[in-house]
Amino acid sequence: MKVLSSLIPPILAATCCAIATDAAKVSAFHPLQLSLGQLVNQQEFDLIREDFLNALSQDGLFTIRDIPDLHKQSVLEAMQPCINKAKATQEHTLRDGTRRRTLATHTSPGGRTAEGIRKPSVPSDDQVHCQGFVDASERFRAAAGVATNAFASRLASVLRTVEDGRPADAEAGDRRRRRPLLATRDGHAFEDFLDVVKNGDHLEHFHSYHTPVSPSSSSNFGKTTDDTIEWHVDQGLFIVFTPGTLVREDPSSAAGSTIQGLTDGFYVRLSDGSTVEVEFSNEDDLVILLGDGFNQYINPHYQDTDAPLLRAAPHALSMIPHQADESRVWYGRMVLPPVMAIHPVHDETFGRLRDMVVDKDTPEDEVIAVACSSSAQARELQTTTCEAGTLLCWHDCMSLEEHGVSEDICTQQGLDLWCINPRGQLWDNTHGDFFPGCIDASKAENATEFPRLPNYPRDNVTACTAETFQRFLQDNQESAYDHSVDLDGVAVFEWTVLENNVIRGRLAYDGLFGYLALGIPSVGGGKNGMHGAEIIMAIPGGNYDAAVGFDLTIPPSINEYVIDPEKSSFRFWDTPVSIGTNVSESSARNTMGDGYAIAYDDCFTAITFESTGFHGKPFNVSGSDHFIWAANDEDYFAAYHTQRGHIYVNWLSGEASDHHDHDHADDGGHEEEEPTTVEPPVSAPVASSSFVATTTGANAFAFGLILLLLIHL
Ligand SMILES: *[C@@H]1O[C@H](CO)[C@@H](O)[C@H](O)[C@H]1NC(C)=O
Ligand SMILES: *[C@@H]1O[C@H](CO)[C@@H](O)[C@H](O)[C@H]1NC(C)=O
Ligand SMILES: *[C@@H]1O[C@H](CO)[C@@H](O)[C@H](O)[C@H]1NC(C)=O
Ligand SMILES: *[C@@H]1O[C@H](CO)[C@@H](O)[C@H](O)[C@H]1NC(C)=O
């Protein structure tokens, strides 16, 4: 049902473009075709590696076939009846009079619905026309996701190879330490292209184009004013799409429409400057087309390596005349960088840049500066705002109904509708736990940092040193552990395998006690298994309230919890799932209870366990286990981690590591890390206004910059 989200996500495909000047001779172009197997299997890939790189550097596009379970035709057939009737459909008239109707959705990092977005209910009248589409599209979108990741994984592995080949002195002599491709403000690294794609925003649109029959719409390519969509390159990393397909309404068919075949009218400009019309094949395939992100931050990142310059492909669409009962249907998945990642040039998060681009108040030259790599000089901008019933909050259009508020409800209370956090503060474009709520905006303050722990900052010069950490470890154990592993230099995990599959273990953290948690990630759970994870967590107080944090007059406790399957914030899962050990007042500073215990002082924190598993989930004592852990040493709100990591333990061999030894070159099963404990939802606002800006300056060619709203081909 996600497709029919009332939170129509977004839109913003800002595009930058050079307007075609000469379209005299147009020849047919057949893009490189690869099978998914050729992309994924190393040996098969080695045979076509050169072709692959040539296609990306010369053309900027190629196609992937043999994608299991794609069946794109069944989705394209089923979408027309739904798009005609669904309330969620957005409509836009393009420059040549073509009417484009759109259903939008998105896939968020970890493949789950983003935080704050519940599964929308499909209005009953939509259900009749859309059920077939919804069913078919779920499967199709998953298959498109597989192809997206396969491409990202392959390109990441190719780029890694060239990066590792760079001169040894380029990165402080350590060839293995690569500079992350992108990072967040608080230092979380998106290591490589795959990491960026997997944690990026995937905006998905189903478009249906219908051009009213008129004399002027006949064969008009080259007269740029008549192109349906002008020449441009897409914003973002790349787009995955189905070649435009003509469908005819057909009430007698089960799907409601029948496929008439591929449509012409899609043009690209190749690296030799030639303009060609793309002839796609009749395979059940998807097209990958690179976007302006390659110009802006991918190519520059690899400039000191042997990596080829990869090419954002300029393209345009000119609708081919069709019958009144026919439409051109299309699916596209635009892959944008993670919302919280920082743009290396603009020093702003991609989420913030996106907000700026869609904000009508942003001066035009600023929009051009942030949106595009080229020195483009004119633009046509269609900005976006949130549709009725939603509010722009944390880079997303959040549903008011789901948060139990509306403009009216707030007005009745003499308050304003605003994007706020649990502490009654206003959203300040940073990340955190924000949602639509009623507040007196004139009195409310912007979001501030959390109040600190009473003993923060710790004395890390004399009291809290490496030596005293060792002493803390010694003093707080009954007997030594058999095995131990250092975790990123900030924590230690130690264990002994006892009889009957019991593990005696300890996670000791070189930091103050804000909280400390250790758990087993949930297979397939969002945020790489954090959502739905079964964990033990030590908290420094009680009576948790997201507005005021823990009541520190209540003694600490350690309990089992299950993290909410969709929502990261502690307030959504702060009830323990089993009674653990409450730490009594008298021994609050060092308690060994049954099962779980906490030890802490004004420098360090440790949790211990003696158990066969967490929350009934047994340790894999005859093999190995993967744990995630997180800690906060600053505040008592359990809203963020200040440290987190992974632990991979082989109980049998007694070996462990804080990173997975993996060759993520060709399996697509790359182990990425969760970006942050609290992460913004992905998606931006929906269309509302548009304007055309003036052209300044004179170039030999008329360069134009178009910021177009929907992804469009
Ligand atoms: C809050 O931040 C915004 C910019 O994000 C600024 O315009 C506004 O003046 C700030 N308000 C207060 C009360 O500081
Ligand atoms: C000591 O604490 C201060 C303040 O929290 C911090 O800026 C500094 O990096 C710390 N030094 C070490 C060695 O951890
Ligand atoms: C721990 O304290 C909570 C209240 O803070 C109580 O509900 C729970 O039963 C206690 N558990 C034990 C084992 O005493
Ligand atoms: C247990 O560990 C073995 C060895 O690493 C692994 O192959 C197996 O998949 C693990 N089982 C579970 C249930 O995690």
Side-chain angles (χ1 to χ4, degrees):
M1 306 285 156
K2 278 168 237 144
V3 169
L4 301 177
S5 170
S6 57
L7 309 160
I8 300 296
I11 302 210
L12 174 65
T15 58
C16 315
C17 89
I19 290 169
T21 51
D22 172 20
K25 289 184 215 73
V26 173
S27 54
F29 169 72
H30 299 98
L32 174 71
Q33 299 183 343
L34 298 180
S35 70
L36 189 68
Q38 286 175 307
L39 213 49
V40 168
N41 300 327
Q42 186 67 50
Q43 282 166 356
E44 288 185 52
F45 177 74
D46 287 341
L47 300 174
I48 49 96
R49 183 191 167 92
E50 288 306 309
D51 298 338
F52 174 75
L53 288 177
N54 278 341
L56 295 186
S57 54
Q58 305 292 316
D59 312 334
L61 78 161
F62 73 101
T63 69
I64 307 179
R65 57 184 157 74
D66 300 337
I67 302 165
D69 293 326
L70 188 67
H71 308 304
K72 64 180 179 185
Q73 293 206 341
S74 50
V75 172
L76 296 176
E77 270 181 347
M79 88 181 242
Q80 189 60 25
C82 173
I83 224 164
N84 280 343
K85 297 278 165 43
K87 287 201 176 70
T89 296
Q90 301 165 61
E91 193 166 316
H92 186 69
T93 303
L94 301 171
R95 57 209 301 275
D96 67 344
T98 296
R99 197 167 61 148
R100 180 178 59 202
R101 280 177 291 180
T102 302
L103 285 171
T105 184
H106 73 278
T107 300
S108 57
R112 291 276 179 125
T113 309
E115 167 124 41
I117 301 179
R118 302 313 150 270
K119 300 266 156 49
S121 55
V122 181
S124 51
D125 58 335
D126 284 358
Q127 212 146 15
V128 180
H129 307 285
C130 293
Q131 197 57 53
F133 171 60
V134 166
D135 294 346
S137 68
E138 297 259 322
R139 194 187 52 219
F140 165 82
R141 291 171 59 214
V146 168
T148 305
N149 277 347
F151 165 63
S153 177
R154 177 48 68 194
L155 185 56
S157 114
V158 168
L159 292 173
R160 259 196 313 273
T161 312
V162 291
E163 193 174 17
D164 287 350
R166 80 167 69 188
D169 61 355
E171 291 299 327
D174 182 359
R175 291 165 57 153
R176 298 196 55 209
R177 264 209 195 277
R178 306 179 189 100
R179 196 162 42 100
L181 185 46
L182 293 174
T184 64
R185 189 80 70 198
D186 55 11
H188 176 81
F190 300 102
E191 297 295 345
D192 60 13
F193 188 68
L194 180 59
D195 226 5
V196 167
V197 170
K198 280 200 163 181
N199 291 291
D201 261 355
H202 296 209
L203 311 184
E204 297 172 80
H205 295 93
F206 292 89
H207 287 323
S208 165
Y209 296 84
H210 189 271
T211 309
V213 181
S214 85
S216 74
S217 64
S218 61
S219 179
N220 52 19
F221 175 73
K223 294 183 286 170
T224 55
T225 49
D226 285 335
D227 288 345
T228 312
I229 294 168
E230 283 185 282
W231 286 96
H232 65 281
V233 295
D234 287 321
Q235 196 69 354
L237 296 165
F238 60 93
I239 184 167
V240 183
F241 66 92
T242 58
T245 300
L246 200 66
V247 297
R248 174 172 292 166
E249 279 164 46
D250 180 1
S252 68
S253 92
S257 76
T258 50
I259 303 271
Q260 303 298 298
L262 296 177
T263 62
D264 292 332
F266 179 69
Y267 300 87
V268 295
R269 180 154 323 122
L270 302 179
S271 59
D272 63 5
S274 64
T275 293
V276 293
E277 182 169 12
V278 184
E279 251 172 47
F280 293 107
S281 80
N282 283 310
E283 303 263 4
D284 188 24
D285 62 1
L286 292 172
V287 186
I288 304 263
L289 181 98
L290 304 190
D292 198 43
F294 279 84
N295 299 329
Q296 292 194 34
Y297 36 83
I298 307 288
N299 286 333
H301 180 86
Y302 295 99
Q303 64 186 0
D304 297 331
T305 73
D306 295 333
L309 278 184
L310 304 182
R311 184 162 182 278
H315 52 282
L317 171 68
S318 193
M319 280 290 285
I320 303 299
H322 56 75
Q323 303 296 317
D325 61 353
E326 292 175 333
S327 298
R328 176 189 190 268
V329 292
W330 180 91
Y331 160 86
R333 176 183 183 117
M334 169 165 271
V335 180
L336 301 174
V339 174
M340 293 317 299
I342 304 291
H343 192 299
V345 175
H346 301 304
D347 194 33
E348 289 279 4
T349 64
F350 284 97
R352 169 90 185 109
L353 289 172
R354 187 194 300 179
D355 292 344
M356 283 169 70
V357 169
V358 302
D359 183 349
K360 287 198 296 296
D361 295 337
T362 307
E364 174 198 335
D365 48 349
E366 242 174 79
V367 170
I368 294 171
V370 302
C372 293
S373 60
S374 66
S375 53
Q377 288 164 354
R379 71 169 177 177
E380 177 183 323
L381 176 66
Q382 297 171 325
T383 55
T384 68
T385 57
C386 291
E387 67 171 14
T390 68
L391 179 73
L392 177 62
C393 192
W394 203 22
H395 308 292
D396 194 16
C397 294
M398 287 195 186
S399 160
L400 299 181
E401 195 181 343
E402 281 163 20
H403 291 91
V405 289
S406 70
E407 200 82 59
D408 285 349
I409 291 173
C410 295
T411 308
Q412 276 163 23
Q413 300 169 7
L415 298 173
D416 310 295
L417 176 62
W418 214 273
C419 177
I420 61 172
N421 68 18
R423 290 184 292 150
Q425 299 174 321
L426 309 179
W427 182 44
D428 58 349
N429 275 305
T430 60
H431 68 165
D433 182 7
F434 290 96
F435 49 85
C438 299
I439 199 163
D440 183 347
S442 64
K443 298 230 177 71
E445 60 178 359
N446 281 344
T448 57
E449 294 200 326
F450 291 102
R452 299 304 188 193
L453 286 164
N455 46 359
Y456 181 91
R458 62 180 192 166
D459 169 8
N460 61 3
V461 177
T462 54
C464 312
T465 62
E467 292 72 41
T468 58
F469 187 44
Q470 289 308 317
R471 204 175 313 137
F472 172 81
L473 295 177
Q474 293 299 323
D475 289 351
N476 287 286
Q477 65 185 14
E478 286 175 339
S479 58
Y481 294 87
D482 287 351
H483 309 285
S484 126
V485 60
D486 175 83
L487 305 174
D488 298 319
V490 294
V492 177
F493 181 70
E494 299 155 287
W495 76 96
T496 299
V497 181
L498 304 177
E499 292 187 337
N500 301 320
N501 295 335
V502 173
I503 304 290
R504 189 168 79 88
R506 172 167 71 177
L507 174 65
Y509 175 56
D510 185 359
L512 291 174
F513 183 23
Y515 75 77
L516 184 59
L518 172 70
I520 304 173
S522 129
V523 174
K527 307 257 187 80
N528 301 297
M530 175 188 144
H531 285 161
E534 286 153 301
I535 65 167
I536 56 171
M537 178 163 170
I539 56 176
N543 282 348
Y544 181 74
D545 178 337
V548 296
F550 292 109
D551 179 349
L552 297 178
T553 65
I554 294 176
S557 64
I558 179 165
N559 279 293
E560 293 175 340
Y561 297 83
V562 177
I563 298 179
D564 188 274
E566 292 188 345
K567 294 170 283 184
S568 303
S569 298
F570 184 60
R571 64 190 168 98
F572 294 112
W573 48 271
D574 60 2
T575 307
V577 288
S578 64
I579 304 301
T581 307
N582 289 340
V583 181
S584 71
E585 290 276 15
S586 56
S587 57
R589 296 237 134 187
N590 186 359
T591 299
M592 293 295 289
D594 297 331
Y596 306 127
I598 315 168
Y600 65 101
D601 60 18
D602 282 335
C603 295
F604 314 112
T605 314
I607 55 179
T608 56
F609 58 92
E610 191 165 320
S611 126
T612 54
F614 296 149
H615 188 224
K617 182 156 193 175
F619 301 135
N620 186 11
V621 181
S622 59
S624 52
D625 273 313
H626 170 203
F627 294 98
I628 50 178
W629 69 276
N632 181 310
D633 59 5
E634 291 178 350
D635 63 67
Y636 48 96
F637 282 75
Y640 296 93
H641 54 246
T642 48
Q643 291 287 346
R644 59 96 185 83
H646 299 266
I647 312 173
Y648 300 88
V649 192
N650 187 325
W651 305 114
L652 281 183
S653 70
E655 287 164 351
S657 165
D658 55 8
H659 62 276
H660 197 28
D661 287 324
H662 56 277
D663 173 18
H664 50 210
D666 58 0
D667 58 6
H670 171 71
E671 173 70 36
E672 82 272 47
E673 299 182 328
E674 65 276 23
T676 52
T677 297
V678 179
E679 207 189 340
V682 288
S683 66
V686 216
S688 74
S689 65
S690 73
F691 66 92
V692 179
T694 52
T695 303
T696 57
N699 243 359
F701 297 96
F703 276 104
L705 155 67
I706 306 185
L707 296 162
L708 277 172
L709 196 37
L710 299 169
I711 303 170
H712 40 47
L713 287 166

